[in-house]
């Protein structure tokens, strides 16, 4: 681009800025190299008092586009009156001038104090606004001093600024660089408690108005500022009777972490009204810092005064959400000790448990919480019962494990109720508990549930009856009554849909004894028709005993499936096999009658003649 | 006695005696001394005058007229331009003289009134740059 130079990687215009576009693009550069800068340089450094007056005139009556330079020149002069006038005119400054002022905050800090203590209403108001906008944390002492002055005209505004500074400092401490982007895009949480809890939000924008983009910055020494501020607020709490401002106590609780022994001591040594106020704030404030304080306090050997009471009495969604979401996998010694002091939880009412708003992922921590406290037994039972009936799968399992330890009968009652639930998951859970909880007639109930229209229930019943499989049947079939065997056959097919294929595999095993036993078991269990093809294959086995067994069993199989094979066995090398085939064919005739397709080679002969020839 | 030693004896005797003031203060030496003292005196006078001027200058800078002159000097205004400004400031009290450098409206008013359009416009551009031209 013509007329541009590159210096240290920056592209700068050279010479005059010809066009308004260039002047707009490089305003500071334009000012820096304009003749007006010479005037400002002279006025900023001149020992003549009239120079300051001239600059002030330019500030009020001059061209607004020159204001930035005039403000900078006034700040360079370090003139108290000049800075005061800057503060007085703060409301008329645009965002650029304000940003320039913010960069000169150290030069303004002393002036803020003077304006707040000795200034008129406009100066006080503007100084407070600048302290708020520029986050001048060095003014905490001054603000507290103002509060302690009786009848200060802008007390409410001072309190507002203090609260806002505390909120911003907390966010700097907690979130660092991300705080500004988060705060600008974050909306206020819904007023509805249910929505807040369901959303699981922890943070909430507490500022009255969003932070201007020009003020977004990273506070490098936030921790040091916090320590200094807490020290000032501790003293203010000790002198509570001078100001009686709840906001001071709240600011202390927002900024003091749970392990701050000085803050704890300050609150313990504070006057009675201050201690009561602190307890009330711990119970009611939904500020994330105070919610964390109550929760974190339970992990200390000596919690903040009022922490346990607040833990018991709070019912707000923010606290419950924070509590359950941060519940530890394993309680520390101090947590265990402090939680045992909790005799009640105000948000758990056995008559009206409103746990529907608690997300399913938090059900297990809820169970752990209830068990860790010293709630009355009926409260715990009510929670566990609700969880078993309505909770998530993890919560339900956790609750049922605990219920057994508490009261066995209750569990059975709950399980039986669960069997009739409309919820498939609940029914499935109840089905899975039938044998574990020794529910009477558990097997009968499980067998019924094999035919349930709900797939989850069927699966659960199959799992519970999984040990009644084909292998068990093969072991015991010869000890069972024939009728019972038949029933067992049907049952194992219901339990395991793969039973038939497993039985087929049994008939093809290399161990002869197992092949024979499998075939006989198939007949005893009434499954021989389903494996007719495998039995037919057995008739071609190399072992005569196997062939003979197959021939015997095929007698009960329909001729359409087995007749051909039996006829083939009539020509077998083994006389025992031939005999078994002949007997089976006779039996088939008795059972099924003569079947033409079964005996194609004897179409011209009658069936009885074929059989008599074979004899 | 050695004649050489005899000849040098008087010289040695004379050398051993300290010289008198009149013997030391030759005209050349007197001239040098006088010149040196004069130079020192002049230097001292010059330094004193310079110091005096600086103090005077410092004091002048604390005045409004001094500030005005300083601003004119910073902008490298010519005598004619200074005269234009002086005429503009004539009806005003001295405390308001520097205002013309900070407030472009003063010169702009003159330009709009049609008074010495060219001179005021040129002066405005010299003091405020292209902002004035807009």
């Amino acid at each position: 681009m013509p007329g541009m130079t590159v210096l240290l990687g920056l592209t700068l215009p050279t010479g005059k800025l010809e066009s308004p576009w260039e002047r707009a693009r490089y305003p500071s550069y334009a000012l820096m190299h304009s003749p007006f800068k010479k005037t400002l340089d002279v006025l900023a450094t001149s020992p003549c008092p009239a120079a300051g007056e001239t600059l002030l005139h330019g500030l009020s009556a001059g061209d607004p586009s020159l204001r930035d330079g005039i403000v900078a020149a006034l700040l360079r002069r370090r003139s108290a009156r000049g800075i005061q006038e800057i503060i007085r005119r703060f409301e008329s400054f645009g965002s650029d001038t304000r940003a320039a002022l913010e960069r000169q905050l150290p030069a303004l800090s002393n002036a803020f104090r003077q304006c707040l203590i000795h200034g008129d209403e406009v100066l006080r108001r503007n100084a407070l606004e600048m302290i708020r906008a520029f986050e001048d944390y060095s003014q905490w002492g001054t603000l507290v001093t103002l509060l302690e002055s009786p009848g200060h005209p802008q007390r409410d505004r001072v309190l507002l600024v203090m609260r806002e500074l505390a909120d911003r400092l907390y966010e700097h401490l907690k979130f660092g660089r991300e705080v500004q982007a988060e705060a600008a895009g974050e909306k206020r949480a819904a007023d509805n408690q249910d929505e807040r809890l369901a959303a699981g939000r922890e943070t909430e924008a507490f500022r009255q108005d969003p932070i201007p983009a020009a003020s977004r910055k990273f506070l490098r020494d936030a921790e040091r500022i916090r320590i200094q501020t807490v020290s000032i607020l501790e003293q203010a709490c000790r002198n509570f009777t001078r100001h009686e401002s709840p906001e001071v106590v709240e600011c202390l609780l927002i900024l003091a972490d749970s392990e701050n022994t000085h803050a704890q001591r300050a609150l313990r040594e504070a006057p009675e009204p201050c201690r009561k106020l602190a307890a009330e704030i711990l119970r009611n404030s939904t500020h994330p810092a105070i919610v964390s304080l109550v929760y974190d306090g339970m992990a200390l050997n000596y919690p903040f005064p009022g922490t346990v009471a607040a833990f018991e009495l709070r019912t707000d969604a923010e606290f419950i959400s924070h509590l359950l979401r941060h519940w530890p996998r394993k309680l520390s010694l101090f947590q265990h000790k402090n939680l045992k002091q909790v005799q009640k939880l105000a948000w758990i009412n056995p008559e009206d448990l409103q746990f529907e708003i608690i997300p399913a992922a938090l059900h297990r921590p809820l169970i752990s919480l209830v068990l860790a406290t010293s709630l009355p037994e009926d409260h715990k039972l009510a929670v566990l019962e609700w969880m078993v009936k309505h909770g998530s799968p993890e919560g339900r399992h956790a609750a049922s494990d605990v219920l057994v330890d508490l009261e066995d009968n209750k569990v059975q009652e709950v399980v039986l109720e669960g069997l009739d639930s409309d919820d498939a998951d609940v029914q499935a859970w109840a089905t899975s508990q039938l044998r574990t909880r020794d529910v009477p007639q558990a097997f009968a109930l499980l067998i019924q549930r094999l035919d349930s229209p709900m797939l989850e229930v069927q699966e659960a019943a199959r799992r519970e009856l999984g040990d009644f499989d084909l292998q068990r049947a093969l072991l015991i079939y010869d000890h069972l009554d024939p009728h019972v065997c038949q029933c067992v056959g049907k049952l194992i097919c219901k339990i395991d849909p793969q039973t038939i294929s497993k039985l087929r595999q049994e008939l093809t095993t290399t161990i002869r004894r197992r092949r024979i036993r499998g075939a006989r078991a198939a007949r005893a269990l009434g499954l021989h028709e389903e494996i007719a093809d495998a039995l037919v294959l057995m008739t071609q086995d190399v072992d005569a005993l196997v062939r003979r067994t197959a021939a015997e069993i095929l007698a009960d199989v329909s001729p359409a499936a087995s007749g051909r094979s039996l006829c083939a066995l009539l020509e077998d090398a083994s006389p025992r096999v031939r005999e078994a085939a002949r007997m089976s064919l006779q039996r088939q005739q008795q059972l099924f009658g003569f079947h033409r397709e079964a005996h194609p080679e004897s179409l011209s002969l009658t069936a009885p003649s074929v059989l008599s020839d074979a004899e | 006695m050695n004649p050489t030693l005899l000849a040098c004896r008087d010289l040695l005797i004379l050398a051993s005696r300290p010289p008198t003031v009149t013997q030391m203060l030759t005209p050349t030496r007197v001239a040098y001394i006088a010149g040196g003292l004069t130079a020192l005196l002049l230097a001292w006078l010059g330094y004193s005058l310079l110091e005096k001027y600086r103090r005077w200058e410092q004091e002048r800078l604390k005045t409004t007229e001094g500030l005005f002159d300083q601003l004119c000097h910073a902008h490298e205004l010519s005598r004619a331009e200074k005269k234009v400004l002086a005429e503009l400031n004539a009806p005003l009290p001295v405390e308001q003289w520097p205002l013309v450098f900070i407030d472009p409206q003063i010169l702009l008013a003159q330009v709009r009134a049609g008074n010495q359009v060219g001179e005021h416009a040129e002066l405005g551009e010299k003091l405020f740059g292209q902002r004035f031209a807009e």
Side-chain angles (χ1 to χ4, degrees):
Chain A
M1 192 172 180
M4 307 295 274
T5 60
V6 176
L7 179 66
L8 298 176
L10 298 172
T11 304
L12 299 170
T14 52
K16 272 188 175 179
L17 296 175
E18 293 295 338
S19 65
W21 174 84
E22 283 182 316
R23 285 197 292 278
R25 191 176 176 186
Y26 302 103
S28 57
Y29 185 85
L31 181 63
M32 203 161 55
H33 288 76
S34 75
F36 190 64
K37 186 181 177 303
K38 294 180 191 172
T39 304
L40 293 176
D41 285 340
V42 170
L43 293 175
T45 54
S46 169
C48 177
E53 296 300 323
T54 307
L55 286 171
L56 288 174
H57 175 90
L59 194 64
S60 52
D63 188 345
S65 61
L66 305 175
R67 196 167 286 163
D68 286 349
I70 295 173
V71 166
L74 275 171
L75 289 173
R76 279 170 66 188
R77 281 188 71 81
R78 303 272 178 180
S79 146
R81 180 152 177 266
I83 293 176
Q84 210 173 66
E85 291 303 313
I86 288 173
I87 296 173
R88 187 183 296 281
R89 289 169 176 77
F90 178 70
E91 284 177 351
S92 62
F93 293 158
S95 57
D96 291 338
T97 312
R98 291 184 183 211
L101 280 176
E102 190 179 356
R103 286 191 288 272
Q104 303 292 329
L105 187 59
L108 297 170
S109 275
N110 286 337
F112 287 156
R113 188 166 192 283
Q114 295 300 317
C115 290
L116 286 174
I117 295 176
H118 305 293
D120 56 25
E121 188 186 335
V122 173
L123 283 175
R124 282 198 297 265
R125 187 179 65 237
N126 287 356
L128 283 173
E129 178 57 27
M130 290 174 82
I131 290 170
R132 185 198 75 83
F134 300 160
E135 296 183 30
D136 188 2
Y137 298 104
S138 64
Q139 303 298 326
W140 273 103
T142 308
L143 294 174
V144 169
T145 305
L146 290 178
L147 281 183
E148 292 176 355
S149 310
H152 192 273
Q154 293 186 331
R155 184 188 170 82
D156 291 339
R157 190 141 183 91
V158 170
L159 290 170
L160 197 69
V161 170
M162 285 176 75
R163 177 58 194 272
E164 198 153 327
L165 286 179
D167 288 340
R168 291 190 191 180
L169 183 56
Y170 168 73
E171 287 175 356
H172 280 297
L173 289 164
K174 190 161 175 64
F175 303 115
R177 290 182 187 276
E178 290 80 27
V179 64
Q180 305 305 340
E182 245 183 73
E186 199 173 25
K187 300 176 196 174
R188 234 172 225 290
D191 290 335
N192 189 324
Q193 184 171 351
D194 296 344
E195 283 183 60
R196 287 206 301 271
L197 187 57
R201 289 197 176 190
E202 284 184 79
T203 59
E204 191 174 335
F206 285 89
R207 286 182 292 284
Q208 299 296 327
D209 50 19
I211 301 170
S215 295
R216 292 178 188 173
K217 56 186 179 293
F218 171 65
L219 192 61
R220 194 179 296 131
D221 50 355
E223 186 59 30
R224 179 187 61 80
I225 294 171
R226 186 187 69 83
I227 293 170
Q228 289 174 349
T229 306
V230 166
S231 172
I232 294 170
L233 291 171
E234 283 168 13
Q235 189 57 38
C237 282
R238 289 197 174 92
N239 301 331
F240 183 78
T241 49
R242 290 189 200 172
H243 54 81
E244 294 183 348
S245 302
E247 285 81 357
V248 170
V249 181
E250 192 173 9
C251 289
L252 175 64
L253 292 173
I254 288 171
L255 294 176
D257 61 67
S258 55
E259 295 176 5
N260 189 323
T261 53
H262 298 291
Q264 283 191 35
R265 192 171 63 236
L267 285 175
R268 284 201 186 94
E269 295 170 1
E272 175 68 16
C274 181
R275 290 203 302 273
K276 278 188 179 171
L277 205 58
E280 198 181 310
I281 291 170
L282 285 174
R283 273 201 301 275
N284 298 326
S285 174
T286 55
H287 193 285
I290 295 178
V291 169
S292 292
L293 193 65
V294 173
Y295 172 76
D296 295 339
M298 298 299 278
L300 300 177
N301 194 7
Y302 298 103
F304 256 78
T307 300
V308 175
F311 195 93
E312 286 181 341
L313 296 173
R314 290 190 74 129
T315 59
D316 53 296
E318 286 83 359
F319 174 69
I320 297 169
S321 170
H322 184 91
L323 176 63
L324 295 177
R325 288 176 67 197
H326 290 84
W327 189 259
R329 289 181 182 273
K330 189 178 174 188
L331 292 175
S332 68
L333 187 64
F334 295 143
Q335 280 175 323
H336 187 74
K337 174 183 77 99
N338 291 326
L339 285 168
K340 281 299 172 193
Q341 297 179 39
V342 175
Q343 305 282 331
K344 62 179 175 181
L345 288 171
W347 51 282
I348 293 181
N349 178 8
E351 308 296 327
D352 184 22
L353 291 173
Q354 294 184 350
F355 289 165
E356 292 82 9
I357 56 175
I358 298 178
L362 301 180
H363 284 178
R364 184 177 266 277
L366 174 61
I367 299 294
S368 300
L369 164 68
V370 166
L371 296 176
T373 59
S374 295
L375 293 182
E377 284 295 318
D378 59 331
H379 283 59
K380 291 185 182 179
L381 274 173
V383 172
L384 295 172
E385 197 175 328
W386 184 95
M387 194 57 64
V388 164
K389 286 179 183 171
H390 308 291
S392 68
E394 292 85 13
R396 198 176 292 126
H397 277 108
S400 58
D401 288 340
V402 174
L403 267 176
V404 168
D405 294 331
L406 289 176
E407 198 175 309
D408 204 19
N409 293 340
K410 194 70 181 173
V411 179
Q412 290 184 2
E413 220 175 278
V414 172
V415 168
L416 287 169
E417 281 179 21
L419 289 176
D420 298 324
S421 171
D422 295 330
D423 187 346
D425 287 331
V426 175
Q427 259 203 50
W429 168 82
T431 304
S432 66
Q433 298 294 312
L434 285 171
R435 286 179 72 180
T436 313
R437 308 298 173 196
D438 295 327
V439 174
Q441 299 182 350
F443 286 104
L445 292 167
L446 281 170
I447 291 169
Q448 276 178 18
R449 264 140 192 83
L450 287 173
D451 297 320
S452 169
M454 297 182 187
L455 285 174
E456 294 90 345
V457 176
Q458 280 184 23
E459 283 301 317
R462 286 200 180 102
R463 275 197 303 274
E464 287 299 304
L465 294 171
D467 47 351
F468 289 101
D469 58 0
L470 178 67
Q471 293 304 319
R472 173 78 71 91
L474 289 174
L475 283 174
I476 63 172
Y477 80 92
D478 45 2
H479 300 293
L480 299 174
D481 186 77
H483 175 69
V484 172
C485 257
Q486 297 279 318
C487 295
V488 167
K490 288 177 189 164
L491 183 61
I492 60 172
C493 282
K494 273 192 186 176
I495 292 171
D496 185 4
Q498 304 297 320
T499 299
I500 300 299
S501 63
K502 287 179 183 174
L503 193 53
R504 284 205 179 93
Q505 282 176 11
E506 196 68 19
L507 298 186
T508 58
T509 184
T510 54
I511 303 172
R512 183 187 76 162
R513 184 176 57 79
R514 281 178 61 182
R515 294 204 297 276
I516 294 169
R517 190 170 175 82
R520 287 178 179 160
R523 181 165 65 176
L525 295 171
L527 301 177
H528 49 281
E529 285 280 359
E530 281 79 1
I531 58 166
D533 51 342
L535 290 169
V536 164
L537 275 176
M538 278 179 74
T539 61
Q540 296 165 19
D541 199 289
V542 296
D543 192 296
L545 185 56
V546 173
R547 293 199 302 276
R548 183 177 142 202
T549 307
E552 287 169 1
I553 295 168
L554 283 173
D556 296 318
V557 177
S558 67
S562 62
R564 218 182 265 274
S565 302
L566 285 172
C567 286
L569 287 178
L570 291 173
E571 309 293 330
D572 195 88
S574 166
R576 305 284 295 274
V577 173
R578 291 198 299 273
E579 177 65 20
R582 189 183 65 79
M583 297 298 291
S584 293
L585 282 169
Q586 273 184 345
R587 183 170 164 77
Q588 271 190 352
Q589 190 183 7
Q590 287 165 10
L591 286 175
F592 302 104
F594 178 76
H595 197 279
R596 189 178 296 274
E597 289 176 15
H599 306 280
E601 66 279 3
S602 57
L603 279 175
S604 59
L605 300 171
T606 58
S609 63
V610 169
L611 292 172
S612 60
D613 285 346
E615 284 173 1
Chain B
M1 190 172 277
N2 190 327
T4 307
L5 281 173
L6 280 173
C8 294
R9 188 185 67 177
D10 293 334
L11 195 61
L12 287 170
I13 290 169
L14 277 174
S16 65
R17 289 184 197 155
T20 61
V21 175
T22 47
Q23 283 173 335
M24 284 171 61
L25 289 178
T26 61
T28 311
R29 284 183 184 173
V30 168
Y32 279 140
I33 291 169
L37 287 172
T38 307
L40 278 172
L41 186 65
L42 287 174
W44 176 78
L45 274 173
Y47 177 75
S48 299
L49 285 171
L50 194 63
E51 269 301 304
K52 200 171 177 181
Y53 175 75
R54 280 184 189 156
R55 276 199 292 272
W56 174 83
E57 184 72 20
Q58 290 287 333
E59 291 302 317
R60 185 170 160 71
L61 283 177
K62 291 180 184 176
T63 63
T64 312
E65 295 93 338
L67 177 63
F68 182 81
D69 289 338
Q70 193 180 4
L71 287 166
C72 291
H73 179 73
H75 286 283
E76 297 171 3
L77 299 183
S78 63
R79 280 195 184 186
E81 287 166 341
K82 270 187 82 169
K83 192 178 168 200
V84 167
L85 287 181
E87 284 170 4
L88 210 58
N89 284 332
L92 299 172
V94 66
E95 292 80 18
Q96 294 183 16
W97 286 5
L99 294 183
V100 69
F101 290 93
I102 201 84
D103 189 357
Q105 297 299 323
I106 297 173
L107 279 172
L108 213 56
Q110 294 299 318
V111 169
R112 287 184 187 131
N115 299 331
Q116 295 174 293
V117 171
E119 287 176 7
H120 285 119
E122 201 177 305
L123 197 52
E125 208 168 316
K126 201 165 184 178
L127 297 184
F128 298 100
Q130 290 175 314
R131 291 174 191 271
F132 192 86
E134 291 164 16

